[in-house]
Amino acid sequence: MKILGINDSLVDFSGEGLAIGLFEDTLELTEDLKALDAKLSGLVSEIIKEADFKGKSGSSIATRVMGMGFKKLMIFGLGKSDKLKFEAIRKVAGNMAKAARREKCKTIGVSLPVVNSNPAGTVQAIAEGIELALYKDMRFKSEKDENTVVESASLIGFVGQEAAIEKANIICSGVFLARELVAAPANVIDSVTFADMAIELAKTYSLELKILEKADCEALNMGAFLGVARASDIPPKFIHMIYKPTGTPRKRVAIVGKGLTFDSGGLNLKVGASSIEMMKTDMGGAGATFGAAKAIAQLKPDVEVHFISAVTENMINGNAMRPGDILTASNGKTIEIMNTDAEGRLTLADSLVYADKLGVDAIVDLATLTGACVVALGNDIAGLWSPDDAFADQLMAAAESSGEKLWKMPFEESYFESMKSPIADMKNIGARTGGAITAAVFLKQYIKDTTWAHMDVAGPVWTDKDKDYNPTGATGYGVRTLVDWVLA
Ligand code: BES
Ligand code: MN
Ligand code: ZN
């Protein structure tokens, strides 16, 4: 897939398909579109009228044209002009790319307006929308896909925006890595193959990499992480990757991802409607973390970034951690296991203690942590918790500009009360209600004083239906927000 900027007028465009955006409020044809309409003897105005096309966002019409340099003309509604945001452009570009594929156009022209008087930002959003939408995972299919592949997209009026296109390419390469990791089943991506991926990534992009083996984790007293890992036949891997800029870093941060390659629930087995068959996605936080690493290593910001995940699976065997067991995390705190299915917070506890010791300016963790967060916010929105409002706002701003839906949740420390244990420092679950909040408050016990935020991404890591630029399956949620935040 190649994306480039061209300055041809619509009438002169040559390719298989031409996709044009039109605003809802005026439905007025631009000068360029008027010229095209004239050349096509009024066909453009005619189909707009006939199809009762109003320019609403999400609506579109397509027609075959004759005597032009292109065969298919597609017109897409942009909604109201004063409401146009980068995210709307990203979505419409994604839908244009999918329409081109449906209409069997190998090469397309895309005509969209500049948003916020920011041509570079606009081009980045268009390119992201196109690439993210056309992503197709064929790794596990034995037969080749015979469908048309869109080979190139020309962004009309955007000559000289190569840097923005390259930035989008890089960010999408990170999103694709996250999608591939999350969508790969647990018999393909396990702790060992996940670590192999990290070794490969570090080699390709010259990143520092430390992989702590089980014995190393034992030496660091990571009893919570190792408690979870006990019933797996596959050795746990604690992965620490580092991107260092040349020169003094402007800031130093750590990104921590929950890396459960599979979550059976353990002895509190996931039964009934608890979606055990979806639990290959329980490393979505780690997927986003290393997807972001791939992008950041190529974008080379003047920020030092640590990428961390304690990778294992939550399984069952004679050595499995039992309900009632007491584990000791690497900061010395003891945890009474009330439910072996609340395992993510255990692996994160030791990851956060480790990250905290790095002396970074800020830590953000991403985790498919609770079903409660999905109940609260649905499948499309992640939850954000932080004791530090200013830090939460930075992440909210990054999410907003990347178009990833994120909602600030209350960091209610008094809920720790329900996690008090008569025999240990805390239980690993709290009251039946507010489960996403208690999970966040649990994590805080493993942070000393570093600025920290937690994102529960259990909902948006996966989508059951193709929507705008997210094809059915793993979304790669988090990568774009993380990259945006690190670069800010
Ligand atoms: N990985 C799950 C959370 C999850 C649930 C992610 C559904 C995606 C979809 C997590 O480890 C878990 O099992 N959480 C429990 C916590 C409970 C035992 C306190 C949950 O949410 O039920
Ligand atoms: Mn679980
Ligand atoms: Zn889990």
Side-chain angles (χ1 to χ4, degrees), residues 258 263 270 279 282 339 341 343 368-371 429 458:
K258 171 174 170 181
D263 178 13
K270 286 190 181 291
M279 285 304 138
D282 213 16
N339 191 317
D341 199 9
E343 85 299 336
T368 48
L369 202 59
T370 66
I429 60 169

Side-chain angles (χ1 to χ4, degrees), residues 329-350:
S330 43
N331 63 347
K333 295 212 176 163
T334 56
I335 308 161
E336 185 185 10
I337 303 305
M338 300 305 288
N339 191 317
T340 60
D341 199 9
E343 85 299 336
R345 62 196 75 186
L346 300 172
T347 66
L348 285 168
D350 283 325

Side-chain angles (χ1 to χ4, degrees), residues 176-190:
F176 296 160
L177 174 60
R179 285 179 179 179
E180 282 170 15
L181 290 168
V182 172
N187 63 335
V188 172
I189 287 287
D190 56 38

Side-chain angles (χ1 to χ4, degrees), residues 439-487:
V441 173
F442 178 95
L443 296 180
K444 166 83 184 330
Q445 312 308 309
Y446 300 87
I447 295 283
K448 249 201 204 132
D449 42 28
T450 312
T451 303
W452 160 80
H454 158 62
M455 285 168 68
D456 194 330
V457 299
V461 284
W462 188 267
T463 178
D464 281 328
K465 60 173 204 282
D466 180 296
K467 201 165 168 248
D468 300 318
Y469 54 78
N470 278 322
T472 304
T475 57
Y477 182 96
V479 172
R480 290 179 299 118
T481 296
L482 288 171
V483 171
D484 198 284
W485 167 62
V486 166
L487 262 50

